[in-house]
PDB file of all heavy atoms in Angstrom:
ATOM      1  N   GLY A  18      60.177  12.949 -50.770  1.00 87.00           N
ATOM      2  CA  GLY A  18      58.754  13.274 -50.879  1.00 87.00           C
ATOM      3  C   GLY A  18      58.018  13.278 -49.547  1.00 87.00           C
ATOM      4  O   GLY A  18      58.542  13.005 -48.519  1.00 87.00           O
ATOM      5  N   ASN A  19      56.716  13.474 -49.703  1.00 83.00           N
ATOM      6  CA  ASN A  19      55.895  13.550 -48.468  1.00 83.00           C
ATOM      7  C   ASN A  19      55.914  12.224 -47.598  1.00 83.00           C
ATOM      8  O   ASN A  19      56.037  12.182 -46.488  1.00 83.00           O
ATOM      9  CB  ASN A  19      54.443  13.801 -48.836  1.00 83.00           C
ATOM     10  CG  ASN A  19      54.129  15.283 -49.149  1.00 83.00           C
ATOM     11  OD1 ASN A  19      55.099  16.134 -48.871  1.00 83.00           O
ATOM     12  ND2 ASN A  19      53.089  15.624 -49.756  1.00 83.00           N
ATOM     13  N   SER A  20      55.863  11.143 -48.392  1.00 79.00           N
ATOM     14  CA  SER A  20      55.860   9.786 -47.671  1.00 79.00           C
ATOM     15  C   SER A  20      57.154   9.544 -46.895  1.00 79.00           C
ATOM     16  O   SER A  20      57.096   9.210 -45.741  1.00 79.00           O
ATOM     17  CB  SER A  20      55.690   8.619 -48.721  1.00 79.00           C
ATOM     18  OG  SER A  20      54.431   8.665 -49.325  1.00 79.00           O
ATOM     19  N   ALA A  21      58.248   9.889 -47.449  1.00 89.00           N
ATOM     20  CA  ALA A  21      59.584   9.754 -46.767  1.00 89.00           C
ATOM     21  C   ALA A  21      59.594  10.701 -45.483  1.00 89.00           C
ATOM     22  O   ALA A  21      60.044  10.125 -44.450  1.00 89.00           O
ATOM     23  CB  ALA A  21      60.700  10.028 -47.784  1.00 89.00           C
ATOM     24  N   VAL A  22      59.272  11.925 -45.710  1.00 91.00           N
ATOM     25  CA  VAL A  22      59.370  12.810 -44.623  1.00 91.00           C
ATOM     26  C   VAL A  22      58.351  12.414 -43.501  1.00 91.00           C
ATOM     27  O   VAL A  22      58.667  12.462 -42.255  1.00 91.00           O
ATOM     28  CB  VAL A  22      59.277  14.277 -45.026  1.00 91.00           C
ATOM     29  CG1 VAL A  22      59.196  15.241 -43.925  1.00 91.00           C
ATOM     30  CG2 VAL A  22      60.321  14.658 -46.100  1.00 91.00           C
ATOM     31  N   GLU A  23      57.107  12.123 -43.866  1.00 87.00           N
ATOM     32  CA  GLU A  23      56.153  11.697 -42.924  1.00 87.00           C
ATOM     33  C   GLU A  23      56.531  10.489 -42.140  1.00 87.00           C
ATOM     34  O   GLU A  23      56.351  10.411 -40.887  1.00 87.00           O
ATOM     35  CB  GLU A  23      54.830  11.506 -43.659  1.00 87.00           C
ATOM     36  CG  GLU A  23      54.080  12.645 -44.126  1.00 87.00           C
ATOM     37  CD  GLU A  23      52.836  12.371 -44.975  1.00 87.00           C
ATOM     38  OE1 GLU A  23      52.789  11.157 -45.369  1.00 87.00           O
ATOM     39  OE2 GLU A  23      52.000  13.307 -45.157  1.00 87.00           O
ATOM     40  N   GLU A  24      57.151   9.519 -42.827  1.00 88.00           N
ATOM     41  CA  GLU A  24      57.477   8.271 -42.206  1.00 88.00           C
ATOM     42  C   GLU A  24      58.722   8.545 -41.323  1.00 88.00           C
ATOM     43  O   GLU A  24      58.886   7.836 -40.305  1.00 88.00           O
ATOM     44  CB  GLU A  24      57.785   7.162 -43.216  1.00 88.00           C
ATOM     45  CG  GLU A  24      56.505   6.791 -44.005  1.00 88.00           C
ATOM     46  CD  GLU A  24      55.263   6.669 -43.164  1.00 88.00           C
ATOM     47  OE1 GLU A  24      55.259   5.648 -42.374  1.00 88.00           O
ATOM     48  OE2 GLU A  24      54.340   7.449 -43.253  1.00 88.00           O
ATOM     49  N   ALA A  25      59.627   9.352 -41.720  1.00 93.00           N
ATOM     50  CA  ALA A  25      60.720   9.798 -40.747  1.00 93.00           C
ATOM     51  C   ALA A  25      60.226  10.291 -39.513  1.00 93.00           C
ATOM     52  O   ALA A  25      60.740   9.939 -38.357  1.00 93.00           O
ATOM     53  CB  ALA A  25      61.676  10.729 -41.497  1.00 93.00           C
ATOM     54  N   ILE A  26      59.218  11.226 -39.550  1.00 93.00           N
ATOM     55  CA  ILE A  26      58.653  11.775 -38.336  1.00 93.00           C
ATOM     56  C   ILE A  26      57.969  10.565 -37.532  1.00 93.00           C
ATOM     57  O   ILE A  26      58.132  10.551 -36.336  1.00 93.00           O
ATOM     58  CB  ILE A  26      57.646  12.845 -38.707  1.00 93.00           C
ATOM     59  CG1 ILE A  26      58.306  14.016 -39.288  1.00 93.00           C
ATOM     60  CG2 ILE A  26      56.834  13.267 -37.437  1.00 93.00           C
ATOM     61  CD1 ILE A  26      57.472  15.080 -39.976  1.00 93.00           C
ATOM     62  N   TYR A  27      57.326   9.731 -38.200  1.00 91.00           N
ATOM     63  CA  TYR A  27      56.614   8.613 -37.588  1.00 91.00           C
ATOM     64  C   TYR A  27      57.621   7.749 -36.807  1.00 91.00           C
ATOM     65  O   TYR A  27      57.341   7.343 -35.655  1.00 91.00           O
ATOM     66  CB  TYR A  27      55.797   7.814 -38.573  1.00 91.00           C
ATOM     67  CG  TYR A  27      55.164   6.576 -37.968  1.00 91.00           C
ATOM     68  CD1 TYR A  27      54.020   6.566 -37.298  1.00 91.00           C
ATOM     69  CD2 TYR A  27      55.785   5.325 -38.114  1.00 91.00           C
ATOM     70  CE1 TYR A  27      53.464   5.411 -36.844  1.00 91.00           C
ATOM     71  CE2 TYR A  27      55.241   4.171 -37.607  1.00 91.00           C
ATOM     72  CZ  TYR A  27      54.118   4.296 -36.921  1.00 91.00           C
ATOM     73  OH  TYR A  27      53.555   3.082 -36.444  1.00 91.00           O
ATOM     74  N   LEU A  28      58.746   7.483 -37.417  1.00 95.00           N
ATOM     75  CA  LEU A  28      59.737   6.555 -36.781  1.00 95.00           C
ATOM     76  C   LEU A  28      60.328   7.148 -35.586  1.00 95.00           C
ATOM     77  O   LEU A  28      61.047   6.402 -34.791  1.00 95.00           O
ATOM     78  CB  LEU A  28      60.779   6.293 -37.920  1.00 95.00           C
ATOM     79  CG  LEU A  28      60.434   5.278 -38.993  1.00 95.00           C
ATOM     80  CD1 LEU A  28      61.472   5.226 -40.086  1.00 95.00           C
ATOM     81  CD2 LEU A  28      60.242   3.858 -38.378  1.00 95.00           C
ATOM     82  N   THR A  29      60.274   8.457 -35.330  1.00 96.00           N
ATOM     83  CA  THR A  29      60.834   8.955 -34.124  1.00 96.00           C
ATOM     84  C   THR A  29      60.078   8.511 -32.896  1.00 96.00           C
ATOM     85  O   THR A  29      60.647   8.601 -31.803  1.00 96.00           O
ATOM     86  CB  THR A  29      60.857  10.557 -34.112  1.00 96.00           C
ATOM     87  OG1 THR A  29      59.411  11.010 -34.224  1.00 96.00           O
ATOM     88  CG2 THR A  29      61.654  11.063 -35.335  1.00 96.00           C
ATOM     89  N   ARG A  30      58.889   7.912 -33.096  1.00 95.00           N
ATOM     90  CA  ARG A  30      58.307   7.280 -31.962  1.00 95.00           C
ATOM     91  C   ARG A  30      59.044   6.111 -31.402  1.00 95.00           C
ATOM     92  O   ARG A  30      58.900   5.697 -30.271  1.00 95.00           O
ATOM     93  CB  ARG A  30      56.830   6.789 -32.351  1.00 95.00           C
ATOM     94  CG  ARG A  30      55.918   7.888 -32.981  1.00 95.00           C
ATOM     95  CD  ARG A  30      54.636   7.276 -33.345  1.00 95.00           C
ATOM     96  NE  ARG A  30      53.790   8.218 -34.023  1.00 95.00           N
ATOM     97  CZ  ARG A  30      52.533   7.974 -34.427  1.00 95.00           C
ATOM     98  NH1 ARG A  30      51.998   6.832 -34.133  1.00 95.00           N
ATOM     99  NH2 ARG A  30      51.877   8.945 -35.102  1.00 95.00           N
ATOM    100  N   TYR A  31      59.834   5.435 -32.334  1.00 96.00           N
ATOM    101  CA  TYR A  31      60.495   4.275 -31.888  1.00 96.00           C
ATOM    102  C   TYR A  31      62.025   4.358 -31.899  1.00 96.00           C
ATOM    103  O   TYR A  31      62.748   4.019 -30.893  1.00 96.00           O
ATOM    104  CB  TYR A  31      60.108   3.103 -32.849  1.00 96.00           C
ATOM    105  CG  TYR A  31      58.591   2.973 -32.935  1.00 96.00           C
ATOM    106  CD1 TYR A  31      57.959   3.395 -34.081  1.00 96.00           C
ATOM    107  CD2 TYR A  31      57.880   2.314 -31.851  1.00 96.00           C
ATOM    108  CE1 TYR A  31      56.535   3.221 -34.196  1.00 96.00           C
ATOM    109  CE2 TYR A  31      56.493   2.106 -32.013  1.00 96.00           C
ATOM    110  CZ  TYR A  31      55.921   2.548 -33.166  1.00 96.00           C
ATOM    111  OH  TYR A  31      54.495   2.370 -33.198  1.00 96.00           O
ATOM    112  N   ALA A  32      62.545   4.906 -32.940  1.00 97.00           N
ATOM    113  CA  ALA A  32      63.991   4.928 -33.175  1.00 97.00           C
ATOM    114  C   ALA A  32      64.661   6.031 -32.289  1.00 97.00           C
ATOM    115  O   ALA A  32      64.077   7.101 -32.024  1.00 97.00           O
ATOM    116  CB  ALA A  32      64.278   5.201 -34.675  1.00 97.00           C
ATOM    117  N   ARG A  33      65.892   5.775 -31.997  1.00 97.00           N
ATOM    118  CA  ARG A  33      66.651   6.713 -31.249  1.00 97.00           C
ATOM    119  C   ARG A  33      67.101   7.888 -32.199  1.00 97.00           C
ATOM    120  O   ARG A  33      67.095   9.101 -31.791  1.00 97.00           O
ATOM    121  CB  ARG A  33      67.927   6.092 -30.691  1.00 97.00           C
ATOM    122  CG  ARG A  33      68.842   7.049 -29.905  1.00 97.00           C
ATOM    123  CD  ARG A  33      69.991   6.303 -29.283  1.00 97.00           C
ATOM    124  NE  ARG A  33      70.795   5.489 -30.356  1.00 97.00           N
ATOM    125  CZ  ARG A  33      71.825   4.739 -30.099  1.00 97.00           C
ATOM    126  NH1 ARG A  33      72.097   4.452 -28.896  1.00 97.00           N
ATOM    127  NH2 ARG A  33      72.414   4.146 -31.099  1.00 97.00           N
ATOM    128  N   LYS A  34      67.492   7.434 -33.443  1.00 97.00           N
ATOM    129  CA  LYS A  34      67.977   8.442 -34.437  1.00 97.00           C
ATOM    130  C   LYS A  34      67.407   8.107 -35.741  1.00 97.00           C
ATOM    131  O   LYS A  34      67.456   6.935 -36.132  1.00 97.00           O
ATOM    132  CB  LYS A  34      69.504   8.440 -34.401  1.00 97.00           C
ATOM    133  CG  LYS A  34      70.114   9.551 -35.296  1.00 97.00           C
ATOM    134  CD  LYS A  34      70.127  10.884 -34.470  1.00 97.00           C
ATOM    135  CE  LYS A  34      70.948  11.998 -35.206  1.00 97.00           C
ATOM    136  NZ  LYS A  34      70.964  13.235 -34.407  1.00 97.00           N
ATOM    137  N   VAL A  35      66.952   9.007 -36.596  1.00 98.00           N
ATOM    138  CA  VAL A  35      66.452   8.779 -37.979  1.00 98.00           C
ATOM    139  C   VAL A  35      67.310   9.671 -38.880  1.00 98.00           C
ATOM    140  O   VAL A  35      67.149  10.882 -38.769  1.00 98.00           O
ATOM    141  CB  VAL A  35      64.926   9.196 -38.035  1.00 98.00           C
ATOM    142  CG1 VAL A  35      64.519   8.846 -39.416  1.00 98.00           C
ATOM    143  CG2 VAL A  35      64.168   8.256 -37.022  1.00 98.00           C
ATOM    144  N   TYR A  36      67.960   9.016 -39.756  1.00 98.00           N
ATOM    145  CA  TYR A  36      68.745   9.770 -40.837  1.00 98.00           C
ATOM    146  C   TYR A  36      67.843   9.844 -42.058  1.00 98.00           C
ATOM    147  O   TYR A  36      67.330   8.787 -42.495  1.00 98.00           O
ATOM    148  CB  TYR A  36      70.041   9.079 -41.152  1.00 98.00           C
ATOM    149  CG  TYR A  36      70.994   9.024 -40.036  1.00 98.00           C
ATOM    150  CD1 TYR A  36      71.124   7.900 -39.223  1.00 98.00           C
ATOM    151  CD2 TYR A  36      71.838  10.078 -39.810  1.00 98.00           C
ATOM    152  CE1 TYR A  36      72.049   7.762 -38.191  1.00 98.00           C
ATOM    153  CE2 TYR A  36      72.776  10.060 -38.732  1.00 98.00           C
ATOM    154  CZ  TYR A  36      72.882   8.925 -37.943  1.00 98.00           C
ATOM    155  OH  TYR A  36      73.823   8.837 -36.962  1.00 98.00           O
ATOM    156  N   LEU A  37      67.609  11.044 -42.533  1.00 98.00           N
ATOM    157  CA  LEU A  37      66.748  11.205 -43.712  1.00 98.00           C
ATOM    158  C   LEU A  37      67.605  11.534 -44.851  1.00 98.00           C
ATOM    159  O   LEU A  37      68.077  12.654 -45.087  1.00 98.00           O
ATOM    160  CB  LEU A  37      65.697  12.343 -43.395  1.00 98.00           C
ATOM    161  CG  LEU A  37      64.612  12.606 -44.442  1.00 98.00           C
ATOM    162  CD1 LEU A  37      63.857  11.461 -44.782  1.00 98.00           C
ATOM    163  CD2 LEU A  37      63.754  13.716 -43.931  1.00 98.00           C
ATOM    164  N   ILE A  38      67.761  10.604 -45.805  1.00 98.00           N
ATOM    165  CA  ILE A  38      68.682  10.599 -46.865  1.00 98.00           C
ATOM    166  C   ILE A  38      67.990  11.032 -48.200  1.00 98.00           C
ATOM    167  O   ILE A  38      67.024  10.388 -48.599  1.00 98.00           O
ATOM    168  CB  ILE A  38      69.357   9.269 -47.054  1.00 98.00           C
ATOM    169  CG1 ILE A  38      70.158   8.930 -45.795  1.00 98.00           C
ATOM    170  CG2 ILE A  38      70.387   9.312 -48.195  1.00 98.00           C
ATOM    171  CD1 ILE A  38      70.637   7.441 -45.821  1.00 98.00           C
ATOM    172  N   HIS A  39      68.474  12.031 -48.790  1.00 97.00           N
ATOM    173  CA  HIS A  39      67.804  12.548 -50.065  1.00 97.00           C
ATOM    174  C   HIS A  39      68.916  13.009 -51.052  1.00 97.00           C
ATOM    175  O   HIS A  39      69.905  13.647 -50.661  1.00 97.00           O
ATOM    176  CB  HIS A  39      66.922  13.722 -49.837  1.00 97.00           C
ATOM    177  CG  HIS A  39      66.145  14.201 -50.948  1.00 97.00           C
ATOM    178  ND1 HIS A  39      65.619  13.388 -51.916  1.00 97.00           N
ATOM    179  CD2 HIS A  39      65.859  15.521 -51.466  1.00 97.00           C
ATOM    180  CE1 HIS A  39      65.019  14.112 -52.836  1.00 97.00           C
ATOM    181  NE2 HIS A  39      65.190  15.320 -52.592  1.00 97.00           N
ATOM    182  N   ARG A  40      68.749  12.673 -52.299  1.00 95.00           N
ATOM    183  CA  ARG A  40      69.832  12.856 -53.303  1.00 95.00           C
ATOM    184  C   ARG A  40      69.936  14.324 -53.668  1.00 95.00           C
ATOM    185  O   ARG A  40      70.917  14.734 -54.276  1.00 95.00           O
ATOM    186  CB  ARG A  40      69.570  11.967 -54.535  1.00 95.00           C
ATOM    187  CG  ARG A  40      68.368  12.406 -55.333  1.00 95.00           C
ATOM    188  CD  ARG A  40      68.193  11.485 -56.618  1.00 95.00           C
ATOM    189  NE  ARG A  40      69.464  11.607 -57.383  1.00 95.00           N
ATOM    190  CZ  ARG A  40      70.206  10.638 -57.724  1.00 95.00           C
ATOM    191  NH1 ARG A  40      70.001   9.440 -57.322  1.00 95.00           N
ATOM    192  NH2 ARG A  40      71.275  10.862 -58.608  1.00 95.00           N
ATOM    193  N   ARG A  41      68.919  15.109 -53.427  1.00 95.00           N
ATOM    194  CA  ARG A  41      68.975  16.576 -53.757  1.00 95.00           C
ATOM    195  C   ARG A  41      69.286  17.384 -52.500  1.00 95.00           C
ATOM    196  O   ARG A  41      69.283  16.967 -51.380  1.00 95.00           O
ATOM    197  CB  ARG A  41      67.681  16.913 -54.472  1.00 95.00           C
ATOM    198  CG  ARG A  41      67.402  16.320 -55.790  1.00 95.00           C
ATOM    199  CD  ARG A  41      66.240  16.675 -56.458  1.00 95.00           C
ATOM    200  NE  ARG A  41      66.019  16.077 -57.788  1.00 95.00           N
ATOM    201  CZ  ARG A  41      65.431  14.907 -57.983  1.00 95.00           C
ATOM    202  NH1 ARG A  41      65.030  14.192 -56.943  1.00 95.00           N
ATOM    203  NH2 ARG A  41      65.390  14.361 -59.173  1.00 95.00           N
ATOM    204  N   ASP A  42      69.459  18.746 -52.731  1.00 94.00           N
ATOM    205  CA  ASP A  42      69.681  19.639 -51.671  1.00 94.00           C
ATOM    206  C   ASP A  42      68.469  20.271 -50.997  1.00 94.00           C
ATOM    207  O   ASP A  42      68.544  20.934 -50.013  1.00 94.00           O
ATOM    208  CB  ASP A  42      70.710  20.765 -52.134  1.00 94.00           C
ATOM    209  CG  ASP A  42      70.047  21.607 -53.196  1.00 94.00           C
ATOM    210  OD1 ASP A  42      69.039  21.166 -53.788  1.00 94.00           O
ATOM    211  OD2 ASP A  42      70.652  22.686 -53.511  1.00 94.00           O
ATOM    212  N   LEU A  43      67.298  19.956 -51.705  1.00 94.00           N
ATOM    213  CA  LEU A  43      66.040  20.390 -51.119  1.00 94.00           C
ATOM    214  C   LEU A  43      65.087  19.184 -51.215  1.00 94.00           C
ATOM    215  O   LEU A  43      65.067  18.420 -52.152  1.00 94.00           O
ATOM    216  CB  LEU A  43      65.494  21.522 -51.858  1.00 94.00           C
ATOM    217  CG  LEU A  43      66.208  22.826 -51.863  1.00 94.00           C
ATOM    218  CD1 LEU A  43      65.688  23.803 -52.804  1.00 94.00           C
ATOM    219  CD2 LEU A  43      66.216  23.437 -50.475  1.00 94.00           C
ATOM    220  N   PHE A  44      64.135  19.048 -50.196  1.00 94.00           N
ATOM    221  CA  PHE A  44      63.197  18.065 -50.185  1.00 94.00           C
ATOM    222  C   PHE A  44      61.989  18.417 -51.058  1.00 94.00           C
ATOM    223  O   PHE A  44      61.663  19.619 -51.254  1.00 94.00           O
ATOM    224  CB  PHE A  44      62.703  17.838 -48.738  1.00 94.00           C
ATOM    225  CG  PHE A  44      63.653  17.179 -47.816  1.00 94.00           C
ATOM    226  CD1 PHE A  44      64.327  17.963 -46.896  1.00 94.00           C
ATOM    227  CD2 PHE A  44      63.934  15.874 -47.963  1.00 94.00           C
ATOM    228  CE1 PHE A  44      65.385  17.360 -46.103  1.00 94.00           C
ATOM    229  CE2 PHE A  44      64.841  15.207 -47.108  1.00 94.00           C
ATOM    230  CZ  PHE A  44      65.518  15.991 -46.184  1.00 94.00           C
ATOM    231  N   ARG A  45      61.376  17.475 -51.652  1.00 89.00           N
ATOM    232  CA  ARG A  45      60.163  17.684 -52.525  1.00 89.00           C
ATOM    233  C   ARG A  45      58.899  17.738 -51.707  1.00 89.00           C
ATOM    234  O   ARG A  45      57.829  18.147 -52.205  1.00 89.00           O
ATOM    235  CB  ARG A  45      60.063  16.483 -53.535  1.00 89.00           C
ATOM    236  CG  ARG A  45      61.220  16.581 -54.528  1.00 89.00           C
ATOM    237  CD  ARG A  45      61.008  15.408 -55.640  1.00 89.00           C
ATOM    238  NE  ARG A  45      61.245  14.151 -54.946  1.00 89.00           N
ATOM    239  CZ  ARG A  45      60.403  13.187 -54.577  1.00 89.00           C
ATOM    240  NH1 ARG A  45      59.183  13.372 -54.743  1.00 89.00           N
ATOM    241  NH2 ARG A  45      60.792  12.065 -54.024  1.00 89.00           N
TER     242      ARG A  45
END
């Protein structure tokens, strides 16, 4: 969802790599 994707983007400020894991083939 929006929270997960937004926070993945936010974490790029700190993390070297961010894996965004989702059980479906398309994001909500």
Side-chain angles (χ1 to χ4, degrees):
N19 282 347
S20 293
V22 177
E23 286 172 344
E24 298 313 292
I26 296 170
Y27 174 83
L28 284 166
T29 60
R30 303 180 186 184
Y31 307 104
R33 179 178 58 184
K34 189 80 172 180
V35 180
Y36 296 96
L37 185 53
I38 303 167
H39 183 43
R40 67 177 303 119
R41 297 183 175 85
D42 60 349
L43 293 173
F44 291 102
R45 293 178 288 106

